Amino acid sequence: MSNFVRVASILDLKPGENKVVEVNGEQVGLFNVDGEFYAISNTCAHRGGPLGEGYLEGDIVTCPWHGWRFNVKTGNNAIMPGVRVPSYQVKVEGSDVFVSID
Ligand code: FES
């Protein structure tokens, strides 16, 4: 069963913004793409850079360390098939954003 944890208010992130949140001790990147919220692992599949601190353009985040790019809706690397980071379930209830990493 999914164990959702409140991580933010919808007011915390405008469309096009992102940040790092914590879910059960795990760091997760949270992204607002055109008003929809998405969550992927904060740990880049290259060398562990913080994806939640990356540059978001559309649904693609660019890792701040060496520029690998990931789709925040799927966790898939935007260039290299088969390279991905975990993506997580997100739900919004009222003004609260919840993420499950189960
Ligand atoms: S750690 Fe993300 S691109 Fe290198």
Side-chain angles (χ1 to χ4, degrees):
M1 202 171 96
S2 296
N3 183 17
F4 282 94
V5 174
R6 183 192 181 281
V7 293
S9 162
I10 58 172
L11 302 176
D12 293 342
L13 286 182
K14 297 186 185 75
E17 292 184 343
N18 48 288
K19 70 174 194 168
V20 180
V21 298
E22 200 171 295
V23 180
N24 298 338
E26 183 121 354
Q27 291 203 317
V28 169
L30 183 69
F31 304 85
N32 182 334
V33 179
D34 297 331
E36 299 286 332
F37 288 84
Y38 299 92
I40 61 174
S41 172
N42 189 51
T43 305
C44 179
H46 182 216
R47 293 197 182 160
L51 296 177
E53 297 174 19
Y55 173 67
L56 182 63
E57 191 173 25
D59 56 10
I60 302 294
V61 65
T62 301
C63 179
W65 283 9
H66 318 97
W68 281 27
R69 303 171 80 224
F70 295 87
N71 186 309
V72 302
K73 296 179 178 177
T74 63
N76 291 332
N77 188 284
I79 309 289
M80 291 174 281
V83 175
R84 64 181 305 274
V85 296
S87 64
Y88 302 121
Q89 284 183 281
V90 179
K91 69 176 181 179
V92 175
E93 286 183 359
S95 61
D96 295 319
V97 183
F98 297 82
V99 172
S100 170
I101 62 171
D102 293 341

